[in-house]
C-alpha cells in the first residue's frame, strides 16, 4: 500500500504537497505524544491529515508517524506495518467520508462525522486483527479472581468480547473529543485557508467570492 501511495506522488504537485505532508506529520506526532486522562486516549489527527492531504499522502503520513514513534521509544517496531494500516485506514476513510457526506452540511459537521465513522471502522479492524491472530486479549484487561480466562479448542478467548467492548466504549469518548477537535480545525482552515480544502469541497459548499474554493 505504501509503495502504491508513493507511486501516486508522480502525478501530484510535490512542491506544495510535500511541505504540507511534513507539517501534518509533525502535528500528528505531537498529538499522539499527548495523553488524555483518565481514559488514556491519544489524539492522532489522522482524519485531519486525510482530509487535507488526500488518501495517498494521508497513508504516507501515517507511516512516517508510526516510524518516528517506534524509533523514539514508543514501541511497536515489529507491528509497524499493522499500525500503519490502521492509522492509514483512518486517514483514507476520513477523506472518503468527508467527501461523500452531504454537501449542505457545514464543513465542521462533515469533518466531525467523518472522524467518528472512520475511527469506529478502524477500531473494528483492530478488534478483527486481534481476533484473527488469536492474540491473548485478556492481557489487556484486568483479571477477576486471579483466574485466567478459558480458551476454547479454536484458540479464541472470551476476553475478546470484553476487549471489544472496552475498545468501543472507551474509544467512543475519545472519538467525540477528536471529532470536536477535527471539526474545529477544518472549520478554521476553511475560513482562513480554503484552498487547502478545494479538492474535497464541492462548489455549492463554498461561499460566493471565496478565493481558492473551486475544485
Amino acid at each position: 500500500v505504501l509503495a502504491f501511495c508513493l507511486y501516486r506522488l508522480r502525478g501530484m504537485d510535490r512542491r506544495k504537497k510535500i511541505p504540507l505532508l511534513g507539517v501534518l506529520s509533525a502535528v500528528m506526532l505531537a498529538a499522539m505524544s499527548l495523553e488524555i486522562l483518565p481514559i488514556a486516549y491519544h489524539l492522532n489527527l489522522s482524519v485531519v491529515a486525510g482530509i487535507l492531504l488526500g488518501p495517498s499522502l494521508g497513508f504516507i503520513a501515517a507511516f512516517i508517524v508510526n516510524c518516528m514513534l517506534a524509533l523514539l521509544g514508543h514501541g511497536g517496531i515489529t507491528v509497524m506495518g499493522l499500525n500503519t494500516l490502521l492509522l492509514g485506514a483512518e486517514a483514507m476513510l476520513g477523506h472518503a467520508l468527508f467527501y461523500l457526506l452531504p454537501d449542505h452540511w457545514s464543513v465542521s459537521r462533515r469533518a466531525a462525522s467523518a472522524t467518528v465513522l472512520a475511527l469506529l471502522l478502524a477500531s473494528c479492524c483492530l478488534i478483527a486483527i486481534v481476533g484473527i491472530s488469536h492474540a491473548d486479549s485478556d492481557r489487556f484487561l484486568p483479571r477477576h479472581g486471579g483466574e485466567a480466562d478459558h480458551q476454547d479448542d479454536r484458540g479464541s478467548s472470551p476476553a475478546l468480547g470484553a476487549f471489544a467492548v472496552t475498545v468501543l466504549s472507551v474509544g467512543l469518548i475519545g472519538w467525540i473529543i477528536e471529532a470536536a477537535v477535527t471539526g474545529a480545525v477544518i472549520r478554521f482552515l476553511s475560513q482562513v485557508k480554503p484552498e487547502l480544502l478545494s479538492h474535497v469541497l464541492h462548489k455549492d459548499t463554498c461561499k460566493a467570492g471565496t478565493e481558492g474554493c473551486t475544485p
Side-chain angles (χ1 to χ4, degrees):
V1 176
L2 181 62
F4 176 74
C5 292
L6 290 170
Y7 176 79
R8 290 200 62 201
L9 281 178
R10 298 193 312 164
M12 296 181 183
D13 187 356
R14 285 173 285 184
R15 291 179 299 176
K16 293 182 179 179
K17 289 293 187 178
I18 296 302
L20 185 60
L21 170 64
V23 170
L24 288 173
S25 297
V27 171
M28 290 174 63
L29 184 62
M32 293 180 69
S33 300
L34 302 176
E35 183 176 349
I36 298 177
L37 298 175
I39 61 174
Y41 184 85
H42 297 263
L43 293 177
N44 54 41
L45 302 182
S46 55
V47 176
V48 172
I51 292 173
L52 296 177
L53 293 172
S56 295
L57 282 176
F59 190 90
I60 294 173
F63 171 76
I64 293 173
V65 170
N66 277 305
C67 183
M68 291 300 298
L69 285 173
L71 294 176
L72 291 174
H74 189 271
I77 293 178
T78 58
V79 290
M80 192 184 303
L82 285 175
N83 285 335
T84 299
L85 285 174
L86 290 171
L87 190 62
E90 294 176 7
M92 289 178 163
L93 288 168
H95 173 88
L97 290 167
F98 181 83
Y99 184 81
L100 294 174
L101 286 171
D103 297 341
H104 61 271
W105 287 11
S106 65
V107 291
S108 58
R109 183 182 178 186
R110 288 169 64 184
S113 300
T115 299
V116 173
L117 291 173
L119 295 179
L120 170 62
L121 292 172
S123 296
C124 291
C125 291
L126 167 64
I127 296 168
I129 289 171
V130 173
I132 292 172
S133 65
H134 302 303
D136 188 10
S137 54
D138 63 342
R139 289 189 297 174
F140 303 110
L141 301 169
R143 294 180 183 270
H144 299 283
E147 295 181 358
D149 291 322
H150 171 70
Q151 291 188 340
D152 61 23
D153 293 337
R154 294 170 297 177
S156 61
S157 170
L160 179 63
F163 173 70
V165 171
T166 302
V167 168
L168 296 177
S169 59
V170 176
L172 178 61
I173 302 174
W175 304 340
I176 294 174
I177 297 173
E178 180 137 4
V181 173
T182 301
V185 169
I186 297 300
R187 180 179 61 182
F188 175 76
L189 291 177
S190 69
Q191 296 171 348
V192 301
K193 204 73 172 174
E195 60 269 21
L196 291 177
L197 297 166
S198 61
H199 59 294
V200 285
L201 288 179
H202 300 298
K203 292 182 179 180
D204 55 355
T205 63
C206 298
K207 296 180 180 179
T210 302
E211 182 181 356
C213 266
T214 302

